C-alpha cells in the first residue's frame, strides 16, 4: 500500500483526525501513594541497566547476575547474564517462606453458580510440588516441552508452575482451538506430555476438551503421556481412554508427595513458548525465557496497576491460553504475591451480570479486560452493571486492541463510577509485558490513547525510513532499545525471528511491532492497529480504528468494524459493518445516512464510508479479534476466505446474505 500524498498532506490529515480533548487526571489520593511516580521516567532513561537491575531485585535469585544485558549478538538478547533463579519458587514458595502461606492466592469461581474454591499460597505450593513430582514420574525432565490444553481451572495454573519448577517449557494452547491447531503446536515444539481436562463449563454446559487431544494424537506422534483433570465428569466415549497413555490427574498428582525441592535455572533458560499468528499461515512459537520475562511481568504488573499486594484483589478476565493470561494471571500477579480472582466461564452465564456479581462478591479492586468485552456490555446498556456495588474498584485496565474513546469513557463511567483511572495497555505476545500505558498515579489519561512508553521502555513512531515522526504525525510503532521481557526468538526459526521483527528497520536496530500509530501534538501515542488495518483513501492515510471509534460514538451503535475495500476512484474506500444497540431497534429508515453524516461530522468527509452494512454480529477469532480479512472479502465481493479460526463460522453467512447499503446521497 503506497501513500501517494505528500508528507505535509498526510500530516495534515492525521492532525485533523484527532479531536479528542477529554482528559482524566489521576485521583489525588492514588497519585500521592502511587508505586511509580513521574521521576521514574527520567531515572530509567538516565541509566537503563541500573533501572532494570532494580526491577530484577523484586525477584529472589539463587545467584545474582554478572551483567544486566548482553546485546553483543543482537537481536538475540541475554538478560541478567549469569544469574540463576526458579520462576515457580518466585511465584509460590517465597511467599510461603515470608509468612504469607495462609493468604489466598486464587479465588477460583467456576461457571456453575456456587462452584468455588479458595486456594492459599501454602496450598498452591503443595499442589505445584505434587504436580512437579507427577510430571517427573511421567518422564518430564528439564528442557522437555509440555503442552497445556485446559479450561480456566486452578489446575491450569498449577500445571504451568509445575513445568516452570522443572525447567520444562510449557506451551499453553487455548481451549477453544481445534484438534488441528493443537496438533500443529504440539508438533512444532515437540511436546511429549499434554495436560488437559475432560472438559470445562462454557455457557452453562460442559464443553469437552479430551476428545480434541485424542484427535490431535492421531496427527502427531510426539505425545507420550496425557495427564487429565476430571472437571466435568462427562463421558469420555467408548474409545476415549487409552491406558497406555492417559493418566488421571487425581491419581498421579493426588498421590504425589507435596515435597519438591526446586532447582535454580539460568536466567536465559526457556520458560515457555506461546504460539501467535503472523502474516503467513504458520503460527509463530514465541519464546520467552526466565529472568528477564519474570522481571518484566512483575515490574509492569506492579507499576501499571499500582499494585498494593496486601490489600488489592486483582482480576484479569483473559484466558490462560493467551499471553495476557501468562503475564497477568500467572507470572506477574503470583510473583507479586497478590490475591486474585480466576473465573472459568463466559461473562453472561447464568445471566448478564455475572462479571459484575463477581466484582461485588470478591470486592475486586483492579480489573483487567478487553475492549471487545467492554463494547459488548455497552450494547446491553448500563442497567445490568448498575445493579451491582462495584465501589471496590480502583483501577481499570484494557488490552488487546485500541479502545475506542466512547468505550473508554463508558468503562470509566459505568463500571468505574468515574473514580477509576483507565490504563490502556499496549503490548504483544512478543513483548511479554506492557510497553506503552498510562501510569495510574501519574498520567492524565486521554480516552483512546495508550499514552507513552512506561519507564524503562523506549518506543517511537517512525516513517518509512525509520526517522522519528514529529508530533501530530503518524507512522510505524517501533521499540528502539531491548527490554528484559522481549521474545528471544521464534521456536526453531531464528531466521524468521530476524526477518519478522528486525529487518524492517535493520539499520536503526529497531524492533518493528507491526502496528501503525500516531503521535498527537503532545507526543502521546495512539495505536492505530496492525499496519494492514491502515487504509489509504485518495492518498490519505486513515485508520480503521479511528472510523470505528467515530461510529461507536453514535448513540445507536454498539460495535463496528471498518475495512478498506479496493475502489476504482479513491484507491481504497471505507466499508463499515455496524451492530446497533438493542434499544435502537432497527435504527429507523434513515440509519445509514445518519451514521454516514455522523462519521463525516466526527472525522471529516474523507472518512465517510462508501457503504454501511447493519449486521447482527461480527466475525471474530476465539480471542475476540475482528477478522477484517473476511469483511474485506465481502466488501470486495470476493469469495470468502478461510474461516477456520472464527469462533462462529456461521456469522459469515449472515453477513454476506445481508444487503449492503451505499451511502451516496
Ligand atoms: C494489539 C495482546 C491498541 C496490537 C497483549 C498488537 C493493542 C496486538 C493494544 C498484539 C492496545 C494490544 N491498543 N492495540 N492497548 N494491546 N493491541 O500478541 O495490534 O495477542 O500488535 O497480545 O494487539 O496482540 P497479542
Amino acid at each position: 500500500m503506497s501513500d501517494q500524498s505528500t508528507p505535509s498532506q498526510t500530516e495534515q490529515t492525521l492532525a485533523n483526525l484527532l479531536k479528542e480533548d477529554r482528559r482524566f487526571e489521576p485521583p489525588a489520593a492514588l497519585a500521592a501513594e502511587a508505586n511509580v511516580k513521574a521521576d521514574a521516567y527520567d531515572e530509567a532513561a538516565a541509566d537503563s541497566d541500573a533501572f532494570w537491575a532494580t526491577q530484577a531485585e523484586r525477584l529472589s535469585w539463587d545467584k545474582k547476575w554478572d551483567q544486566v544485558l548482553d546485546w553483543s549478538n543482537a537481536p538475540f538478547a541475554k538478560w541478567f547474564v549469569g544469574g540463576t533463579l526458579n520462576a515457580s519458587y518466585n511465584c509460590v514458595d517465597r511467599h510461603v517462606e515470608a509468612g504469607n502461606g495462609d493468604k489466598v492466592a486464587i479465588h477460583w469461581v467456576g461457571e456453575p453458580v456456587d462452584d468455588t474454591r479458595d486456594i492459599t499460597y501454602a496450598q498452591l505450593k503443595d499442589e505445584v510440588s505434587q504436580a512437579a513430582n507427577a510430571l517427573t514420574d511421567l518422564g518430564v525432565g528439564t528442557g522437555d516441552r509440555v503442552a497445556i490444553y485446559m479450561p480456566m481451572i486452578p489446575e491450569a495454573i498449577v500445571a504451568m508452575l509445575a513445568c516452570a519448577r522443572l525447567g520444562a517449557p510449557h506451551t499453553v494452547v487455548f481451549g477453544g482451538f481445534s484438534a488441528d491447531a493443537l496438533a500443529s503446536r504440539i508438533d512444532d515444539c515437540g511436546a511429549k506430555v499434554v495436560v488437559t481436562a475432560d472438559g470445562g463449563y462454557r455457557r452453562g454446559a460442559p464443553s469437552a476438551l479430551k476428545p480434541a487431544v485424542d484427535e490431535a494424537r492421531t496427527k502427531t506422534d510426539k505425545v507420550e503421556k496425557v495427564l487429565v483433570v476430571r472437571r466435568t465428569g462427562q463421558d469420555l466415549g467408548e474409545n476415549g481412554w487409552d491406558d497406555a497413555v492417559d493418566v488421571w490427574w487425581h491419581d498421579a498428582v493426588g498421590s504425589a508427595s507435596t515435597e519438591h525441592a526446586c532447582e535454580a535455572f539460568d536466567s536465559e533458560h526457556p520458560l515457555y513458548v506461546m504460539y501467535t499468528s503472523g502474516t503467513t499461515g504458520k503460527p509463530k512459537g514465541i519464546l520467552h525465557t526466565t529472568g528477564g520475562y519474570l522481571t518484566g511481568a512483575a515490574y509492569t504488573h506492579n507499576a501499571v496497576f499500582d499494585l498494593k499486594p496486601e490489600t488489592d484483589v486483582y482480576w484479569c478476565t483473559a484466558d490462560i491460553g493467551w499471553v495476557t493470561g501468562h503475564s497477568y494471571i500467572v507470572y506477574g500477579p503470583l510473583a507479586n504475591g497478590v490475591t486474585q480472582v480466576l473465573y472459568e466461564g463466559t461473562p453472561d452465564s447464568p445471566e448478564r451480570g455475572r462479571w459484575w456479581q463477581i466484582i461485588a462478591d470478591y470486592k475486586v479492586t483492579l480489573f483487567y479486560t478487553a475492549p471487545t468485552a467492554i463494547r459488548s456490555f455497552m450494547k446491553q446498556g448500563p442497567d445490568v452493571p448498575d445493579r451491582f456495588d462495584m465501589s471496590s474498584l480502583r483501577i481499570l485496565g484494557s488490552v488487546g486492541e485500541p479502545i475506542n474513546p466512547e468505550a473508554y469513557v463508558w468503562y470509566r463511567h459505568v463500571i468505574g463510577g468515574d473514580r477509576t483511572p483507565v490504563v490502556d495497555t499496549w503490548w504483544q505476545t512478543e513483548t511479554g509485558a506492557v510497553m506503552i500505558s498510562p501510569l495510574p498515579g501519574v498520567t492524565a489519561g486521554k480516552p483512546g490513547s495508550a499514552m507513552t512508553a512506561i519507564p524503562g521502555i523506549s518506543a517511537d513512531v517512525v516513517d518509512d525510513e525509520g526517522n522519528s515522526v514529529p508530533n501530530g504525525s503518524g507512522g510505524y510503532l517501533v521499540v528502539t532499545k531491548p527490554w528484559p521481557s522481549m521474545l528471544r526468538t521464534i521456536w526453531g526459526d531464528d531466521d524468521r525471528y530476524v526477518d519478522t521483527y528486525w529487518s524492517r528497520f535493520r539499520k536503526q536496530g529497531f524492533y518493528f511491532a507491526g502496528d501503525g500509530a500516531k503521535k498527537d501534538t503532545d507526543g502521546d501515542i495512539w495505536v492505530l492497529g496492525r499496519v494492514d488495518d491502515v487504509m489509504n483513501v485518495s492518498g490519505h492515510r486513515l485508520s480503521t480504528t479511528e472510523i470505528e471509534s467515530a461510529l461507536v460514538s453514535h448513540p445507536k451503535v454498539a460495535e463496528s468494524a471498518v475495512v478498506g475495500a479496493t475502489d476504482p476512484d479513491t484507491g481504497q474506500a471505507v466499508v463499515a459493518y455496524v451492530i446497533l444497540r438493542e434499544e435502537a431497534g432497527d435504527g429507523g429508515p434513515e440509519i445509514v445516512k445518519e451514521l454516514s453524516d455522523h462519521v463525516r461530522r466526527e472525522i471529516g468527509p474523507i472518512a465517510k464510508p462508501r457503504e454501511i452494512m447493519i449486521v447482527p454480529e461480527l466475525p471474530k477469532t476465539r480471542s475476540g479479534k475482528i477478522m477484517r480479512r473476511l469483511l474485506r472479502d465481502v466488501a470486495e465481493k470476493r469469495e470468502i476466505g478461510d474461516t477456520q479460526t472464527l469462533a462462529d463460522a456461521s456469522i459469515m453467512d449472515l453477513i454476506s446474505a445481508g444487503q449492503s447499503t451505499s451511502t451516496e446521497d
Side-chain angles (χ1 to χ4, degrees):
M1 201 172 6
S2 73
D3 185 347
Q4 285 140 14
S5 62
T6 63
S8 61
Q9 267 179 315
T10 309
E11 279 159 25
Q12 194 57 49
T13 310
L14 285 160
N16 290 345
L17 283 171
L18 186 60
K19 298 236 181 63
E20 182 58 60
D21 55 9
R22 286 170 288 192
R23 298 281 181 281
F24 296 104
E25 293 289 339
L30 197 155
E33 299 294 322
N35 291 351
V36 183
K37 301 227 165 73
D39 53 4
Y41 292 99
D42 287 344
E43 185 199 320
D47 187 345
S48 79
D49 275 11
F51 178 81
W52 286 120
T54 307
Q55 303 316 319
E57 298 282 357
R58 296 172 183 283
L59 306 178
S60 303
W61 296 78
D62 278 57
K63 179 173 168 289
K64 282 280 158 64
W65 54 91
D66 310 311
Q67 188 186 358
V68 172
L69 166 67
D70 177 359
W71 192 230
S72 59
N73 185 30
F76 298 93
K78 290 193 173 128
W79 280 89
F80 308 113
V81 186
T84 66
L85 77 169
N86 186 291
S88 170
Y89 175 85
N90 271 279
C91 291
V92 185
D93 305 45
R94 65 174 180 149
H95 305 310
V96 179
E97 287 169 17
N100 293 323
D102 292 337
K103 178 175 181 172
V104 172
I106 301 167
H107 289 299
W108 177 70
V109 182
E111 192 182 83
V113 175
D114 297 331
D115 186 3
T116 62
R117 221 178 122 191
D118 284 350
I119 299 163
T120 64
Y121 274 96
Q123 290 166 333
L124 189 60
K125 175 173 180 279
D126 286 352
E127 273 205 47
V128 170
S129 301
Q130 287 182 299
N133 285 321
L135 286 173
T136 306
D137 289 345
L138 293 177
V140 175
T142 302
D144 289 341
R145 275 81 63 206
V146 175
I148 298 177
Y149 185 65
M150 302 270 269
M152 289 286 284
I153 56 178
E155 288 83 354
I157 295 179
V158 169
M160 289 165 76
L161 292 172
C163 289
R165 200 172 185 89
L166 298 173
H170 52 72
T171 187
V172 184
V173 180
F174 175 53
F177 274 136
S178 65
D180 270 351
L182 175 62
S184 66
R185 286 158 174 78
I186 288 172
D187 213 51
D188 189 73
C189 71
K192 67 195 253 192
V193 168
V194 180
V195 186
T196 188
D198 49 359
Y201 287 93
R202 306 285 305 161
R203 300 197 168 76
S207 161
L209 282 172
K210 175 71 165 51
V213 179
D214 297 344
E215 196 188 328
R217 282 211 295 120
T218 66
K219 297 164 200 278
T220 169
D221 57 5
K222 301 268 166 49
V223 180
E224 295 169 15
K225 290 285 176 192
V226 179
L227 185 57
V228 189
V229 177
R230 182 140 69 202
R231 163 63 185 138
T232 57
Q234 62 203 111
D235 185 7
L236 296 173
E238 213 175 302
N239 301 314
W241 194 263
D242 179 347
D243 277 327
V245 175
D246 297 328
V247 182
W248 282 114
W249 175 284
H250 52 260
D251 290 337
V253 178
S255 64
S257 162
T258 56
E259 295 299 319
H260 183 274
C262 58
E263 191 185 327
F265 298 106
D266 189 89
S267 179
E268 283 299 331
H269 189 78
L271 182 61
Y272 69 82
V273 179
M274 172 90 240
Y275 285 87
T276 185
S277 44
T279 46
T280 68
K282 188 177 186 287
K284 303 176 283 194
I286 303 300
L287 175 68
H288 284 290
T289 59
T290 309
Y293 172 78
L294 203 58
T295 297
Y299 156 61
T300 52
H301 185 247
N302 176 279
V304 169
F305 288 99
D306 187 44
L307 183 76
K308 308 286 195 256
E310 303 78 28
T311 46
D312 274 322
V313 178
Y314 167 82
W315 181 21
C316 168
T317 67
D319 192 282
I320 48 133
W322 309 115
V323 75
T324 306
H326 284 52
S327 300
Y328 298 109
I329 294 177
V330 182
Y331 291 107
L334 293 176
N336 288 336
V338 71
T339 294
Q340 71 176 317
V341 168
L342 182 75
Y343 174 55
E344 176 185 34
T346 42
D348 51 0
S349 187
E351 56 98 19
R352 287 172 160 189
R354 187 71 195 273
W355 276 13
W356 320 130
Q357 179 77 59
I358 293 171
I359 290 178
D361 286 350
Y362 289 94
K363 300 201 168 23
V364 171
T365 58
L366 311 173
F367 183 62
Y368 197 22
T369 194
T372 182
I374 298 166
R375 289 193 302 263
S376 76
F377 290 120
M378 270 174 86
K379 187 162 60 175
Q380 297 163 7
D383 299 359
V384 179
D386 281 354
R387 298 202 318 261
F388 300 93
D389 175 7
M390 293 191 274
S391 57
S392 54
L393 288 170
R394 62 182 200 95
I395 293 169
L396 301 175
S398 169
V399 60
E401 54 177 317
I403 181 166
N404 326 72
E406 290 319 311
Y408 175 116
V409 171
W410 186 92
Y411 191 29
R412 190 187 145 90
H413 177 65
V414 177
I415 307 304
D418 287 324
R419 290 168 291 104
T420 55
V422 172
V423 287
D424 173 12
T425 62
W426 178 87
W427 59 294
Q428 307 176 295
T429 303
E430 292 88 341
T431 69
V434 173
M435 306 290 278
I436 303 176
S437 169
L439 289 179
V442 177
T443 316
K446 299 176 185 174
S449 172
M451 305 302 289
T452 53
I454 61 170
I457 300 297
S458 307
D460 200 357
V461 180
V462 300
D463 65 15
D464 280 319
E465 274 75 52
N467 302 312
S468 182
V469 301
N471 289 352
S473 304
Y476 303 103
L477 186 59
V478 295
V479 185
T480 60
K481 288 196 183 129
W483 64 103
S485 63
M486 64 196 286
L487 77 165
R488 295 304 193 264
T489 190
I490 293 174
W491 184 264
D493 201 343
D494 287 350
D495 291 344
R496 190 174 178 196
Y497 166 66
V498 175
D499 278 1
T500 308
Y501 303 106
W502 301 94
S503 63
R504 182 74 182 74
F505 299 107
R506 177 183 287 123
K507 208 172 78 199
Q508 296 81 359
F510 293 163
Y511 166 85
F512 175 44
D515 280 330
K518 69 184 177 194
K519 287 193 264 191
D520 66 17
T521 46
D522 301 322
D524 292 321
I525 294 175
W526 297 67
V527 180
L528 300 174
R530 304 297 302 180
V531 183
D532 36 317
D533 292 344
V534 177
M535 298 171 289
N536 192 332
V537 180
S538 306
H540 300 277
R541 206 174 272 183
L542 288 172
S543 147
T544 54
T545 309
E546 241 157 344
I547 301 175
E548 285 164 9
S549 289
L551 284 163
V552 173
S553 74
H554 188 282
K556 288 184 184 169
V557 175
E559 178 150 23
S560 79
V562 166
V563 297
T566 311
D567 187 279
D569 296 329
T570 56
Q572 279 190 307
V574 178
V575 177
Y577 297 79
V578 171
I579 305 180
L580 297 177
R581 293 195 189 205
E582 272 173 23
E583 72 259 24
D586 70 356
E590 293 291 300
I591 185 68
V592 168
K593 178 161 188 333
E594 222 177 293
L595 296 180
S596 170
D597 289 348
H598 180 72
V599 174
R600 183 200 289 257
R601 244 192 336 269
E602 289 289 304
I603 306 178
I606 180 70
K608 195 184 82 128
R610 183 184 72 185
E611 287 166 64
I612 295 180
M613 302 194 208
I614 308 294
V615 294
E617 273 302 336
L618 291 169
K620 287 184 186 157
T621 63
R622 294 181 179 90
S623 66
K625 286 203 165 66
I626 294 169
M627 288 194 73
R628 291 196 175 71
R629 175 171 60 76
L630 299 178
L631 294 173
R632 225 171 282 134
D633 290 348
V634 177
E636 304 188 341
K637 306 201 168 39
R638 270 198 308 265
E639 205 185 324
I640 293 167
D642 185 4
T643 56
Q644 259 192 29
T645 50
L646 276 184
D648 178 358
S650 66
I651 283 167
M652 285 322 292
D653 298 330
L654 282 176
I655 292 177
S656 30
Q659 278 298 301
S660 92
T661 320
S662 158
T663 65
E664 291 311 321
D665 0 65

